[in-house]
Amino acid sequence: MDIGGLLREAGITPSPVMKLDNEKLHHFDLSKYNKALDNVDLNDEQAFTQYIFNELKANNCTAGIGGYGEERSLYSRSTLFSDEEPRTIHLGIDVWTAAGADVFAPLDSTVHSFANRNVHGDYGPVIILEHKIENHVFHTLYGHLSTDSLDGLTIGKEIKKGQEFARIGEYHENFHWPPHLHFQVIIDMQGMVGDYPGVCKKSESNIYLKNCPNPSVFL
């Protein structure tokens, strides 16, 4: 599904998921090819957080963004991503900024599902919205939210385009990551509820990246 083309054909301009100042936006490279990460102990959660926010400060930026389709080695910090072939390909875009930053619905939507996935390295609080444009259905996933973002949610609840419905969580909420939003588009939820992989195996990346197209149109 070509999300951008679908929106253009329907004459719909999405609202930004976050209010970002492009002049104060740092583009992060967290791929395994970034040699600067060799000097950061990614298993030291404080060191990783310090790296993110030192980069923002050094570049005089209020937020950082990036990561779609990026091959990363940083997931070795959590057994959640370990297997005979580890999961290393990032399927969404990350927006790194201060905890408490507001998150907005890009389109009219309903709540597909939500959960608090409080396992080391997982999403922590996560919300998945469902969108319908003509006969097409797709979903957007928001991970690493504040715990109170889940308050009052029910499956099927309407969320209007441009409505603030969540906030980025603190370190201990989001779950053991530097504060950021993991934002992902998912066409077919494949029966999953309150969860969908945000990282896949390299051998399966063609399948997953097709089902999770680049979400930059909403940012």
Side-chain angles (χ1 to χ4, degrees):
M1 183 186 296
D2 176 4
I3 301 294
L6 180 63
L7 294 170
R8 286 191 296 272
E9 287 181 14
I12 296 173
T13 301
S15 289
V17 167
M18 297 193 72
K19 295 180 179 179
L20 303 172
D21 181 351
N22 287 332
E23 295 182 0
K24 295 285 186 179
L25 195 59
H26 178 61
H27 289 264
F28 271 102
D29 175 8
L30 296 179
S31 74
K32 69 176 188 178
Y33 305 106
N34 181 358
K35 296 302 181 184
L37 294 177
D38 292 346
N39 300 318
V40 181
D41 182 358
L42 297 175
N43 291 308
D44 181 335
E45 295 163 354
Q46 184 175 0
F48 185 22
T49 299
Q50 197 167 36
Y51 169 79
I52 292 292
F53 286 94
N54 282 349
E55 283 288 294
L56 293 179
K57 184 177 181 181
N59 289 279
N60 193 30
C61 290
T62 55
I65 194 168
Y68 177 71
E70 197 169 63
E71 185 174 4
R72 296 173 169 179
S73 56
L74 58 88
Y75 298 111
S76 62
R77 63 196 288 271
S78 171
T79 57
L80 183 69
F81 304 99
S82 301
D83 205 338
E84 186 173 342
E85 179 191 353
R87 291 191 284 147
T88 58
I89 306 298
H90 192 243
L91 298 173
I93 285 179
D94 288 329
V95 182
W96 307 86
T97 192
D102 292 330
V103 180
F104 302 86
L107 302 165
D108 288 342
S109 51
T110 56
V111 175
H112 172 276
S113 53
F114 55 94
N116 190 351
R117 307 199 61 79
N118 54 351
V119 176
H120 176 64
D122 210 327
Y123 290 125
V126 57
I127 299 173
I128 300 169
L129 301 182
E130 182 173 289
H131 311 282
K132 295 181 180 178
I133 298 178
E134 298 176 349
N135 295 322
H136 301 279
V137 176
F138 63 96
H139 308 81
T140 49
L141 180 150
Y142 309 80
H144 308 295
L145 304 174
S146 64
T147 305
D148 63 7
S149 296
L150 305 183
D151 291 349
L153 282 189
T154 55
I155 292 175
K157 180 178 180 178
E158 289 190 4
I159 307 288
K160 294 297 184 181
K161 174 182 171 180
Q163 178 180 336
E164 179 267 311
F165 71 98
R167 287 155 299 286
I168 290 179
E170 299 278 356
Y171 174 85
H172 66 281
E173 294 177 294
N174 72 25
F175 193 77
H176 296 175
W177 291 93
H180 74 289
L181 173 71
H182 173 93
F183 176 61
Q184 186 170 334
V185 172
I186 306 159
I187 297 171
D188 181 2
M189 286 296 298
Q190 299 172 327
M192 300 193 73
V193 175
D195 191 24
Y196 192 86
V199 184
C200 73
K201 298 176 181 179
K202 189 172 183 179
S203 64
E204 299 174 341
S205 59
N206 287 341
I207 296 169
Y208 275 98
L209 290 171
K210 184 176 181 180
N211 193 45
C212 300
N214 192 330
S216 61
V217 65
F218 297 113
L219 291 165

